Amino acid sequence: MFDVAVFGSLFLTLFVIMDPPGITPIFLALTAGRPAKVQKRMAFQAVCVAGGVIAVFGLLGHQILDYLHVSVPALMIAGGLLLLLIALDLLTGKTDEPKQTKDVNVALVPLGMPLLAGPGAIVSVILAVQKADGVAGQVSVWAAILAIHVVLWLVMRYSLLIIRVIKDGGVVLVTRLAGMMLSAIAVQQIINGVTQVIRGS
């Protein structure tokens, strides 16, 4: 009732794509200045949002994209542009939205989607669900999805300890570094999408 090879393959793929260690500085930058309790709640919300998006696309991915007439490259380019806007805000320090709005937006966008549940993760899950044979394969796929989200939550949950060490000055530095990293991820995602469009034409 369990396929270790399928579980391991999908878990490693999602680990590379969703990048739990790499999400740490971005999470710290986007949640800086909030009480620890709020940050912990936002970590949980972001993982829940990502898990919900991944689950929906795992079950209905092709139907959703076909119904909306949206291609995977278009999804990648749109996600990249969204990430680029967030990255520019981090680099320039323009994070002056009302606190309540920031709380909601950071948990949903960009943390939940497209950082965690980005086009790469969505496509990987759609393909894994399609290729999984029988009950054992399906159980292994969904177990891998659950496992990576638990890892993501633990990494973000305990990354808050870093804030106590680096203090406010360190948070500013981390924010700028996160902006640079996020902008690079965004540009690469746009390049990948455009490349797929060119190859498909």
Side-chain angles (χ1 to χ4, degrees), residues 2 8 11 16 23 27 30 32-33 41-42 130 155 158 168 176 184 194:
F2 192 82
F11 180 84
V16 171
I23 202 67
F27 173 75
L30 291 173
R41 186 176 72 244
M42 292 174 70
Q130 283 186 332
V155 168
Y158 290 102
D168 290 342
R176 299 299 182 267
V194 171

Side-chain angles (χ1 to χ4, degrees), residues 93-169:
K94 294 179 181 178
T95 54
D96 299 326
E97 309 119 289
K99 194 171 189 302
Q100 186 177 358
T101 303
K102 282 171 62 180
D103 287 349
V104 174
N105 287 344
V106 170
L108 300 179
V109 178
L111 282 176
M113 184 178 180
L115 274 178
L116 299 182
I122 289 172
V123 172
S124 297
V125 168
I126 291 175
L127 294 177
V129 170
Q130 283 186 332
K131 293 178 181 178
D133 295 324
V135 176
Q138 291 292 333
V139 168
S140 303
V141 165
W142 290 103
I145 293 170
L146 177 62
I148 191 63
H149 282 82
V150 170
V151 170
L152 285 165
W153 175 74
L154 289 173
V155 168
M156 289 192 291
R157 166 74 170 73
Y158 290 102
S159 67
L160 300 177
L161 297 175
I162 299 173
I163 293 179
R164 299 178 185 175
V165 177
I166 63 177
K167 306 297 183 184
D168 290 342

Side-chain angles (χ1 to χ4, degrees), residues 6-186:
V6 171
F7 174 88
S9 176
L10 181 58
F11 180 84
L12 288 176
T13 300
L14 291 177
F15 189 91
V16 171
I17 293 172
M18 301 176 90
D19 192 15
I23 202 67
T24 300
I26 297 172
F27 173 75
L28 291 175
L30 291 173
T31 61
R34 295 177 173 84
K37 185 177 180 179
V38 173
Q39 290 175 315
K40 292 174 185 176
R41 186 176 72 244
M42 292 174 70
F44 182 73
Q45 289 174 341
V47 170
C48 287
V49 169
V53 171
I54 291 290
V56 169
F57 275 94
L59 295 170
L60 304 169
H62 271 296
Q63 294 89 327
I64 292 173
L65 294 181
D66 289 344
Y67 177 77
L68 296 174
H69 303 290
V70 173
S71 66
V72 172
L75 190 65
M76 296 177 70
I77 294 170
L81 291 172
L82 180 60
L83 287 181
L84 190 57
L85 290 175
I86 302 296
L88 292 174
D89 280 347
L90 291 176
L91 283 169
T92 58
K94 294 179 181 178
T95 54
D96 299 326
E97 309 119 289
K99 194 171 189 302
Q100 186 177 358
T101 303
K102 282 171 62 180
D103 287 349
V104 174
N105 287 344
V106 170
L108 300 179
V109 178
L111 282 176
M113 184 178 180
L115 274 178
L116 299 182
I122 289 172
V123 172
S124 297
V125 168
I126 291 175
L127 294 177
V129 170
Q130 283 186 332
K131 293 178 181 178
D133 295 324
V135 176
Q138 291 292 333
V139 168
S140 303
V141 165
W142 290 103
I145 293 170
L146 177 62
I148 191 63
H149 282 82
V150 170
V151 170
L152 285 165
W153 175 74
L154 289 173
V155 168
M156 289 192 291
R157 166 74 170 73
Y158 290 102
S159 67
L160 300 177
L161 297 175
I162 299 173
I163 293 179
R164 299 178 185 175
V165 177
I166 63 177
K167 306 297 183 184
D168 290 342
V171 169
V172 174
L173 176 61
V174 167
T175 300
R176 299 299 182 267
L177 290 174
M180 290 178 58
M181 291 168 54
L182 200 54
S183 62
I185 292 171

